Amino acid sequence: MSAPEGRFIAFEGGEGAGKSTQARLLVEALQARGLAVVTTREPGGTLGAEAIRRLLLDPPGDAGWTAEAEALLFAAARADHVAHLIRPALARGEWVVCDRFVDSSRAYQGGAGGLGDDAILSLHAFGSGGLRPDRVILLEGDETVLAGRLTARGAISDAIEGRPATYHRAVAEAFRALAVADPVGIVRIDGIGAPDNVHARIMDALADLLDGEGEGR
Ligand code: Z5A
């Protein structure tokens, strides 16, 4: 009998939405059920993709990447990540919890960056065989509240975070539109409130995938 395929969960949303915090809480909850979990992020997750991450978030020189070059670099990092980390973990029957995945490229480069969804999906089909998460958790929240979290953290802005508020609003709108078009695959979660309360909403949104998982699977 072949080994069970693992599950692939991605967290999406704008900066400060709580993706890293909630990814950590989910990993703890899955591990508490005895499930094997790989936790990872984009851009990054493998040595090659982490090298590309540095190029993306701190571009060499003053010109910055063109929108097209930026999209290609994200797709290249993802291709390496999918081939060397995500697919092997899923094939071993493990859960993969990823902080951002292709819907970030669709919202940032395709939506706010103006390249369009078809271009991003074509790159993803070529680079990563079009792999989709089993479920995307889209964390949303009032722009001012999320910005306040980043100020409180004292975050240093990178090349993408430092873009104007209009860009980040367009990202949020693009994420919303993706979720409206695919409400089962991309679940909108209110990211405002205590982290444990947000975590409980996420566990509800994953209940169907968790049914029968763990404790001896
Ligand atoms: N990008 C792209 O353009 N295209 C792509 O395809 C991909 C990415 C994959 C990666 O940055 C950048 O690359 C990103 C998108 C772009 N740029 N932007 N914007 P990253 O991954 O390094 O940065 P980020 O995803 O924006 O991470 P972040 O700012 O750290 O946000 P977060 O992970 O969603 O939030 P957090 O770290 O969990 O929480 C932020 C702070 O809020 C922290 O101090 C927490 O303690 C606090 N927090 C979290 N939850 C709560 C609640 N519930 N209440 C109060 N405070 C909270």
Side-chain angles (χ1 to χ4, degrees):
M1 200 170 80
S2 60
E5 280 279 303
R7 298 286 194 182
F8 179 18
I9 309 298
F11 282 87
E12 296 284 9
E15 48 181 350
K19 299 175 297 298
S20 310
T21 304
Q22 292 304 325
R24 182 175 46 76
L25 292 175
L26 175 61
V27 168
E28 286 169 9
L30 295 174
Q31 287 172 337
R33 290 172 175 242
L35 294 166
V37 189
V38 171
T39 174
T40 187
R41 68 168 182 182
E42 289 211 345
T46 57
L47 286 175
E50 290 288 339
I52 297 173
R53 177 186 177 94
R54 290 191 284 279
L55 290 173
L56 277 160
L57 300 187
D58 188 12
D62 295 330
W65 301 109
T66 64
E68 291 79 4
E70 184 176 286
L72 285 161
L73 285 168
F74 275 113
R78 184 163 301 122
D80 191 69
H81 188 207
V82 166
H84 291 135
L85 190 145
I86 297 177
R87 283 200 197 276
L90 294 174
R92 291 193 300 269
E94 296 174 7
W95 282 61
V96 175
V97 175
C98 191
D99 190 340
R100 296 193 180 278
F101 192 63
V102 67
D103 294 330
S104 279
S105 286
R106 298 173 77 192
Y108 283 81
Q109 285 68 48
L115 295 181
D117 206 33
D118 290 349
I120 303 303
L121 292 178
S122 298
L123 291 180
H124 188 53
F126 176 69
S128 300
L131 181 70
R132 286 293 308 166
D134 291 291
R135 184 89 17 103
V136 174
I137 300 293
L138 172 60
L139 289 169
E140 297 180 307
D142 177 76
E143 181 185 323
T144 319
V145 176
L146 302 190
R149 289 181 185 172
L150 296 178
T151 309
R153 185 175 65 179
I156 301 163
S157 233
D158 61 45
I160 296 177
E161 280 173 7
R163 289 177 185 167
T166 47
Y167 180 89
H168 290 288
R169 261 177 230 130
V171 167
E173 182 47 46
F175 271 131
R176 230 182 336 268
L178 293 175
V180 167
D182 178 13
V184 176
I186 307 176
V187 182
R188 302 173 68 184
I189 298 285
D190 177 5
I192 304 300
D196 283 349
N197 293 344
V198 179
H199 172 66
R201 290 171 206 146
I202 290 168
M203 294 305 281
D204 282 348
L206 297 177
D208 59 325
L209 298 182
L210 281 163
D211 198 22
E213 294 284 341
E215 288 108 36
R217 176 186 183 235

